[in-house]
Amino acid sequence: MKTFSFKMLSKACILAVLSLGVLHADNPPTDDEVAKSKQKEVAKTFQNDGFKPRTLLDTVEADKYYWDYLRENHPIFKFEKEGRLVGEYALSDRQEEFVDFGGGKKYAQKVGRPTAVTYRLAYESFLDFPNKFVGSAKCGECHPAQYAQWERSRHAKTIRFPEDLDEVNGDPKQGMYGTNVPILTTGIRPDDTFAILGTPRTKYGFLDKWLVRGTYHVIDGTLDDNNSKIVAGGNQFSVNWTKFLTPEVAKRIQAEISPNFPTDMAGFGGSGSHMWGMNSYGATYQKKFRFQPASAYCEVCHSFKFDFKSKEEFLSALGKPKELRKHAINMGISCEECHGAGAHLYGARGAGMASNCERCHQRFQYHEDDGKLNPRKPFNAYFKSSCPSCGTEGAQLYNSVHYDKGLRCNTCHDPHEVTANDWRDHYTLTGLKKTCEDCHEPQKEMFKFGGPHAKDNCTGCHMPNMMSCENFAAIQDPDKAGYDNVRASHIWKILVDKDKKSLNPPPGKDRNPKEKGWRLAREDGRFFVDLMWSCGRTAFEDPNLVKPGASGCHSVIQSTLPKELHYKDQATIYEAVMQWQRPVKDGYANIEKILRSVDKSLAENKKLSTDAKSRALSFAKQAQDILDRLKKDGSWGVHGPKYAAKLVDEALTYAQQAQDIATGKSK
């Protein structure tokens, strides 16, 4: 037997061996006993407590027992056996979401390792036992200011119990916005769910009481009735469809700007449902739906945490909503999502930033041909349809000059106060630590002297809502910049071009929004915002278009501006921009030419007095200073058309004075 030392054992392992009753001076454990107790501890917790690091595939495979339970107990499988399913389900697991999605398979072949391209895993899952979470209220005992900011943010509301839905007084079955459409779909009762996902900003879905994503509804009764049926889709309440894209507005859109826009349920195809305002998400109405446990998808962003001590305790609570809710210690994107389970309350374990914004907000997609356009930035933003998906803010930032200069999410955003306005509003005003003006002084200087956009924010043009939460191609029209765009882009660079588009289908494919494989285009290797998205978009949750006092920008559907300023196509916007930029750019080029001639004349004219040269150089410098201001601003008149034109005239006067002196025309 080898010599034994206590140093050979971790603390956890020593405790495990003590529990076996074998650790004392006269009876030291054998190597086999030590190894077995280590294995027992690893199997019990499956957490990174010093035994071994948990890999991507370890996590992917860790929910197998949960799947076994669901196959035995979830009603969908019973309904299937009894012929009471309308539509076919597809099993969707962690392998699909964390490894296969977003071109993950192709990238894995390229680099020789499995890679989570689109989704990041939670620091710890609700399937890691014992659950070691302490709850945000515990954090709030010592961090009251941060807790108060978080509590009123949308992060805290991403998932809630039905009775906690303040906007409907705890009743998710009541009609919303003066309609008969409820938050919770047909045939599903509040106690058929563990929780409701969503807020008045975009949409509401549900997690059923087995913690499976609600991609279905029930007809002819409830889940408990013998003759009822589970139907694919018809599962998700849409704020956009119910409150804004009413049948009347849909008809206007079709008549005035997008001829293919649907005006009835049949037009919505698989995204549709049995009622206007309730759509099919993660499903094709009456045809297909995903069977997807929350461990494979929802918990990444609509997070919740339990305090179960063992998987047996957890499994016994499934199907019992009140029991699950009793054990729920965290709901929403809470303190421990970023700082780790227990954070510093468990000492070093989990202290600091175990996770960050990128887990939910840096969703990539890999295309081999796209990566060749910028080898330093080979990943595109993730698309489900013809608009970038929600959560791709970080993927866009990653491809920007801002990122290369060191900016990150928390450079501008306060992670505790992500929502500065009331979370019940259908748009979000973000809590910011920095704004554009804090860094972009030349643009601020130009902007303050007025012009049509002087009352607007920089974000109104440079961060248009382009991303989709629902990803329904039926209501998307990237070329017309609408109508399923609910999240702000993080690209910033506006490309002034009458033809080039930010969003494009795969090479050689038709510009049909229903075409799969759309992506963000690049100019000089970077993403860009086209003029239609910047100026003419229609977006019902974009604060720059809908907050009090907003003009609706140049949207044909939303604008309060005169009709001649309603833009239906990018070429029209381009010509309007050129009316500002051409005189500034032409004037700039002319002044540069004059200043070059001044330099040449000063070098060649030997008869000029020192005083004359000095005055010529002074005028030339004043002209060059103005040119430098125009170039640093970079908008060529857009930020302040009249002021930019005035600066050009001023610089031209200085340049001509310098030229006259240098050539001897003036003393």
Side-chain angles (χ1 to χ4, degrees):
M1 181 184 295
K2 294 181 180 178
T3 304
F4 174 78
S5 168
F6 282 101
K7 293 180 181 179
M8 294 169 60
L9 291 176
S10 67
K11 180 180 178 182
C13 195
I14 291 172
L15 292 174
V17 177
L18 278 170
S19 70
L20 296 174
V22 297
L23 187 58
H24 52 79
D26 297 329
N27 188 22
T30 66
D31 287 350
D32 286 343
E33 289 170 334
V34 172
K36 286 179 181 178
S37 59
K38 279 189 177 184
Q39 291 170 1
K40 180 180 178 182
E41 191 66 19
V42 172
K44 188 174 80 170
T45 65
F46 199 72
Q47 291 170 325
N48 183 9
D49 285 338
F51 293 112
K52 67 166 189 168
R54 176 167 46 180
T55 68
L56 172 62
L57 293 185
D58 284 336
T59 304
V60 165
E61 295 168 0
D63 64 350
K64 300 303 182 187
Y65 70 88
Y66 181 32
W67 274 96
D68 291 341
Y69 171 90
L70 291 173
R71 288 188 178 95
E72 288 292 323
N73 295 278
H74 198 281
I76 277 178
F77 302 102
K78 174 187 174 186
F79 275 60
E80 180 187 28
K81 290 177 182 176
E82 296 174 357
R84 293 194 285 142
L85 276 189
V86 179
E88 298 179 356
Y89 62 82
L91 302 180
S92 177
D93 58 15
R94 284 175 164 178
Q95 171 74 29
E96 178 185 48
E97 295 291 329
F98 296 140
V99 180
D100 297 346
F101 258 37
K105 281 185 175 179
K106 289 184 178 179
Y107 189 72
Q109 292 170 359
K110 175 183 174 68
V111 299
R113 62 178 180 274
T115 307
V117 169
T118 299
Y119 292 102
R120 308 291 181 271
L121 281 66
Y123 177 68
E124 289 184 18
S125 168
F126 66 84
L127 295 180
D128 293 331
F129 302 107
N131 299 155
K132 295 189 177 181
F133 301 95
V134 300
S136 295
K138 179 67 70 177
C139 303
E141 292 176 4
C142 294
H143 303 281
Q146 291 77 13
Y147 183 83
Q149 288 179 306
W150 167 80
E151 195 174 27
R152 56 181 297 279
S153 76
R154 281 205 169 91
H155 269 173
K157 316 294 182 186
T158 59
I159 180 167
R160 292 170 287 163
F161 302 143
E163 60 268 24
D164 293 334
L165 296 171
D166 295 338
E167 60 269 41
V168 289
N169 299 313
D171 180 12
K173 298 298 285 187
Q174 75 175 42
M176 292 285 282
Y177 308 124
T179 71
N180 294 321
V181 186
I183 285 175
L184 199 53
T185 190
T186 304
I188 303 296
R189 302 159 295 186
D191 273 352
D192 291 325
T193 74
F194 162 63
I196 307 297
L197 295 79
T199 73
R201 182 171 174 270
T202 52
K203 61 189 179 185
Y204 295 89
F206 68 95
L207 274 183
D208 68 25
K209 58 187 176 182
W210 295 272
L211 302 183
V212 171
R213 181 183 178 190
T215 53
Y216 58 89
H217 69 284
V218 178
I219 60 172
D220 300 330
T222 70
L223 289 170
D224 295 330
D225 295 327
N226 293 326
N227 297 312
S228 61
K229 294 180 180 178
I230 289 177
V231 183
N235 54 300
Q236 180 171 274
F237 176 88
S238 170
V239 176
N240 204 12
W241 286 18
T242 307
K243 191 171 185 178
F244 306 112
L245 290 175
T246 61
E248 293 72 28
V249 172
K251 289 173 183 175
R252 262 195 73 199
I253 291 173
Q254 186 187 79
E256 297 183 34
I257 187 169
S258 290
N260 295 321
F261 196 82
T263 58
D264 56 29
M265 277 291 101
F268 287 104
S271 300
S273 177
H274 53 298
M275 67 176 86
W276 191 280
M278 189 70 69
N279 51 42
S280 297
Y281 191 60
T284 301
Y285 183 54
Q286 294 185 337
K287 294 182 179 179
K288 298 177 182 178
F289 64 109
R290 285 186 168 193
F291 182 86
Q292 187 174 60
S295 58
Y297 181 72
C298 303
E299 76 162 335
V300 174
C301 298
H302 292 267
S303 304
F304 53 94
K305 304 300 182 188
F306 294 124
D307 63 0
F308 290 113
K309 298 297 181 286
S310 67
K311 70 179 181 183
E312 291 75 21
E313 186 181 19
F314 164 70
L315 293 176
S316 69
L318 287 173
K320 305 168 187 173
K322 292 181 180 177
E323 189 69 13
L324 287 171
R325 293 171 196 164
K326 183 179 75 176
H327 282 276
I329 196 166
N330 263 345
M331 300 292 284
I333 310 298
S334 54
C335 310
E336 292 170 279
E337 289 305 313
C338 298
H339 296 288
H344 61 80
L345 297 181
Y346 280 144
R349 180 183 183 279
M353 291 293 292
S355 185
N356 60 21
C357 315
E358 293 176 352
R359 197 190 92 206
C360 294
H361 294 278
Q362 195 184 71
R363 299 171 67 189
F364 288 120
Q365 190 142 17
Y366 175 71
H367 306 278
E368 188 173 6
D369 62 326
D370 187 60
K372 293 176 182 177
L373 298 175
N374 186 348
R376 290 183 59 243
K377 308 284 184 179
F379 297 103
N380 210 296
Y382 178 61
F383 280 62
K384 285 184 180 177
S385 52
S386 52
C387 284
S389 292
C390 61
T392 58
E393 296 92 341
Q396 296 165 38
L397 166 65
Y398 176 78
N399 278 278
S400 71
V401 173
H402 279 118
Y403 189 93
D404 290 348
K405 295 292 185 181
L407 273 74
R408 299 295 183 267
C409 305
N410 63 1
T411 303
C412 301
H413 292 274
D414 182 341
H416 299 115
E417 189 180 33
V418 293
T419 310
N421 59 321
D422 194 308
W423 64 267
R424 293 173 183 81
D425 293 336
H426 66 275
Y427 59 89
T428 296
L429 296 177
T430 52
L432 294 171
K433 299 190 297 185
K434 281 185 178 293
T435 62
C436 308
E437 295 94 328
D438 292 329
C439 296
H440 294 279
E441 188 63 35
Q443 291 79 8
K444 176 184 176 182
E445 186 72 17
M446 186 69 67
F447 214 64
K448 76 179 183 182
F449 284 99
H453 299 121
K455 66 180 178 61
D456 299 321
N457 293 321
C458 307
T459 58
C461 300
H462 287 275
M463 297 181 69
N465 276 23
M466 292 173 66
M467 288 180 282
S468 168
C469 262
E470 298 179 314
N471 294 292
F472 295 135
I475 59 171
Q476 291 175 355
D477 191 337
D479 289 344
K480 301 295 184 182
Y483 306 86
D484 180 29
N485 39 304
V486 298
R487 293 178 180 267
S489 59
H490 285 62
I491 298 171
W492 298 289
K493 176 181 172 61
I494 298 172
L495 181 66
V496 179
D497 190 283
K498 70 181 176 66
D499 298 315
K500 292 180 179 177
K501 298 289 188 179
S502 298
L503 309 179
N504 289 287
K509 296 293 184 180
D510 187 61
R511 298 191 67 82
N512 182 346
K514 296 181 181 179
E515 182 70 54
K516 297 292 186 182
W518 283 64
R519 63 186 82 169
L520 283 162
R522 298 177 190 257
E523 181 75 7
D524 297 327
R526 305 279 189 185
F527 301 157
F528 62 87
V529 177
D530 69 39
L531 288 174
M532 193 67 200
W533 280 107
S534 181
C535 307
R537 68 191 176 279
T538 299
F540 298 99
E541 281 119 337
D542 187 334
N544 298 290
L545 273 69
V546 302
K547 72 181 181 182
S551 66
C553 293
H554 299 281
S555 164
V556 173
I557 304 303
Q558 294 175 284
S559 181
T560 60
L561 300 173
K563 284 257 184 188
E564 59 268 23
L565 294 177
H566 297 182
Y567 296 139
K568 296 183 179 182
D569 60 82
Q570 189 165 315
T572 303
I573 300 171
Y574 176 78
E575 287 306 320
V577 172
M578 284 296 98
Q579 289 181 28
W580 290 336
Q581 288 195 337
R582 279 193 190 105
V584 175
K585 286 185 173 182
D586 290 348
Y588 184 97
N590 183 42
I591 294 163
E592 275 195 319
K593 183 179 178 181
I594 293 171
L595 291 179
R596 286 196 298 271
S597 74
V598 168
D599 288 340
K600 184 178 180 182
S601 297
L602 288 174
E604 294 175 349
N605 192 342
K606 306 299 182 182
K607 296 180 180 180
L608 279 181
S609 66
T610 302
D611 179 65
K613 282 186 177 181
S614 177
R615 286 188 295 113
L617 288 169
S618 177
F619 284 129
K621 183 179 185 308
Q622 290 180 80
Q624 186 61 55
D625 286 346
I626 292 173
L627 294 188
D628 291 344
R629 287 172 63 187
L630 289 168
K631 187 173 184 178
K632 286 179 180 177
D633 168 64
S635 74
W636 306 108
V638 176
H639 290 156
K642 291 182 179 179
Y643 182 59
K646 178 175 177 288
L647 287 177
V648 169
D649 287 342
E650 186 179 339
L652 180 60
T653 300
Y654 288 135
Q656 287 173 337
Q657 284 276 21
Q659 186 181 47
D660 287 348
I661 294 171
T663 57
K665 291 182 181 179
S666 172
K667 295 183 180 181

